[in-house]
Amino acid sequence: MRNRAGLWYSVTIRDRHGKVISRERRKSRSMLGNWYRILYGMMITGCTSMVHTSGNSWGTCYLQDNWDFRGDADMDYKSIVIGTGTTAVSIDDYKLATQIMQGTGSGQMRHLASTPGWPSIVGPNCSFLTSRTFLNNSGGSITVRESGIYCRCKGPTYYGYACIVRDVFGTPQAIPDGGSITIDYTLGITA
Amino acid sequence: MEPQLDYRVEVTDKDGRVIAREEGPSRSYVRQWNELFHVQAAQIYLGGGGTVKDTSGSTCADARISTVTFKSNAGIGETNYGLRVGKGSTPVSINDYAIGNPIAEGTGIDQLEHQLTYFTGPSVVGSTLSFTMQRSMVNHSGATISGIQEIGNYMMFSCGMYTRFALGFRDVLASSFSIPDGGAITVTYTLKVTA
């Protein structure tokens, strides 16, 4: 029997009163190639090619910052991110198709802080959860269709950020003005 | 799609002829794999309380971010990290922290000479990215070494100001392998992910 390793995500939508109005929970389709490119660099304490979220082919090398996906409040270039794109996931995706940026303007959402929780062991499972909430104070409804994780990384010369996970939702999620969307990613293994 | 880990084991005689082979899906990453991912993802610094058990069975209570987290490219004769084989047959548990009964480095009885753990670079074929890691261990003990039944990978990490080693994944083989004198065993793991 094959081991189980991978990502699961859940999406929770709340209205302006905090009431849950929609929820989606499923196995993540997509830990991307960039996750494994960073892993390769770490395992060999060397470098390999990789495209950063900037679109630059800056590569990735072993670095203590690698995989850092903590997110400060208002930060839209690292941690869990969301978007409106529907392009099918590809192994070489290097960013979301159409990212929703930080802010309160039209089509923007406020990004709250996020940090990975500690791993827990339950039976044959070891997992940890990363969660982030985005608030819609734009004055209108925003439909979210994709999410992902951007992490810190560095190539031979330049620091940057890598898209290591991207998922297109099974159901587009409309966030009413004053409402929020919370994305939970769980990285788990089962022996 | 989920990430996948597959293994292949080949035993060759002194003439390089393959005399036994087994391949299949790996059963098991173990907890240290995820705990070290967490150390990096959450950027646990010195004194941050990262907890990872090392291959000696000691629990490091100060596992921290490092440039060597996951380092597995061991050199010749190095057995603190890199791919290992052993004679244990205890089923894999999420709490495993070492190979059950590891084969030591050397040319004495029941010892193997460990060659490099080396990697092929990531490549994309269709919607799958993969890379491999491989190590050969040569038997110059003067006798057949039998009962090889487990394989796994030891990885480097930083504990406070020190370097430690942790088990990342371990598999118990379906068959027990014997390596004739002058022969070798080669273990290959393929790490891959499909979008």
Side-chain angles (χ1 to χ4, degrees):
Chain A
M1 181 177 146
R2 181 177 289 282
N3 70 323
R4 288 175 53 214
L7 274 173
W8 289 260
Y9 75 86
S10 73
V11 178
T12 305
I13 314 299
R14 291 182 173 83
D15 66 13
R16 62 170 52 249
H17 305 295
K19 183 175 150 197
V20 174
I21 54 177
S22 180
R23 183 172 275 155
E24 176 178 326
R25 185 176 293 142
R26 62 194 291 188
K27 184 84 182 280
S28 167
R29 265 197 65 82
S30 292
M31 196 178 271
L32 299 174
N34 282 350
W35 186 300
Y36 273 61
R37 291 184 175 98
I38 295 173
L39 175 62
Y40 171 79
M42 295 296 283
M43 291 184 87
I44 67 162
T45 50
C47 303
T48 191
S49 59
M50 189 178 75
V51 179
H52 291 217
T53 54
S54 61
N56 293 303
S57 300
W58 284 342
T60 178
C61 297
Y62 63 111
L63 175 76
Q64 65 180 14
D65 294 15
N66 281 345
W67 285 304
D68 172 8
F69 50 77
R70 298 167 302 163
D72 295 337
D74 302 341
M75 179 184 279
D76 58 14
Y77 52 85
K78 186 161 71 82
S79 184
I80 296 173
V81 290
I82 54 175
T84 59
T86 57
T87 311
V89 176
S90 160
I91 193 73
D92 283 327
D93 281 348
Y94 61 89
K95 61 179 184 176
L96 297 191
T98 310
Q99 189 182 349
I100 293 172
M101 306 308 288
Q102 156 66 28
T104 55
S106 177
Q108 296 179 331
M109 294 184 72
R110 292 175 54 205
H111 294 49
L112 303 189
S114 168
T115 193
W118 288 93
S120 66
I121 307 288
V122 178
N125 309 299
C126 176
S127 64
F128 67 89
L129 169 74
T130 302
S131 180
R132 193 175 203 186
T133 295
F134 305 81
L135 306 179
N136 179 7
N137 296 135
S138 70
S141 178
I142 297 174
T143 299
V144 180
R145 299 181 179 88
E146 59 177 336
S147 66
I149 298 177
Y150 287 179
C151 77
R152 182 85 157 143
C153 64
K154 181 184 178 294
T157 306
Y158 299 109
Y159 281 95
Y161 300 91
C163 183
I164 54 175
V165 174
R166 178 172 175 255
D167 288 288
V168 175
F169 297 163
T171 307
Q173 301 288 348
I175 321 301
D177 183 46
S180 69
I181 178 170
T182 299
I183 311 286
D184 294 336
Y185 273 106
T186 301
L187 179 63
I189 56 174
T190 302
Chain B
M1 293 291 288
E2 64 188 30
Q4 294 177 15
L5 182 64
D6 295 318
Y7 70 83
R8 186 177 71 240
V9 175
E10 277 188 352
V11 176
T12 49
D13 65 14
K14 62 182 171 50
D15 299 315
R17 221 173 18 213
V18 176
I19 56 175
R21 177 183 284 142
E22 178 178 321
E23 55 190 328
S26 167
R27 263 198 66 82
S28 284
Y29 289 107
V30 294
R31 61 186 292 174
Q32 291 82 221
W33 183 264
N34 235 15
E35 288 167 345
L36 288 175
F37 262 127
H38 174 264
V39 162
Q40 292 294 133
Q43 291 287 285
I44 305 298
Y45 291 96
L46 191 68
T51 302
V52 176
K53 190 177 277 192
D54 70 19
T55 53
S56 74
S58 299
T59 298
C60 164
D62 196 9
R64 63 173 178 86
I65 54 168
S66 168
T67 57
V68 299
T69 309
F70 291 104
K71 178 178 173 64
S72 304
N73 57 336
I76 294 172
E78 172 64 67
T79 53
N80 282 319
Y81 62 105
L83 293 172
R84 299 291 305 272
V85 299
K87 290 190 170 190
S89 59
T90 310
V92 177
S93 153
I94 194 77
N95 293 313
D96 282 353
Y97 59 85
I99 298 288
N101 185 9
I103 298 290
E105 163 66 19
T107 56
I109 296 171
D110 267 355
Q111 294 181 335
L112 289 167
E113 291 185 310
H114 292 68
Q115 306 304 304
L116 297 171
T117 297
Y118 76 94
F119 290 73
T120 61
S123 65
V124 174
V125 177
S127 59
T128 298
L129 179 142
S130 67
F131 66 87
T132 66
M133 57 188 303
Q134 183 179 87
R135 188 174 215 179
S136 293
M137 287 146 268
V138 182
N139 178 9
H140 286 148
S141 70
T144 295
I145 298 177
S146 58
I148 303 292
Q149 210 168 338
E150 60 178 335
I151 58 176
N153 187 45
Y154 286 180
M155 315 172 297
M156 193 179 284
F157 72 101
S158 291
C159 176
M161 300 305 290
Y162 300 97
T163 296
R164 299 270 196 96
F165 307 94
L167 177 70
F169 40 89
R170 172 177 177 257
D171 284 284
V172 175
L173 302 171
S175 308
S176 175
F177 288 85
S178 294
I179 309 164
D181 183 43
I185 183 167
T186 300
V187 177
T188 306
Y189 273 100
T190 301
L191 296 90
K192 60 185 172 183
V193 63
T194 303

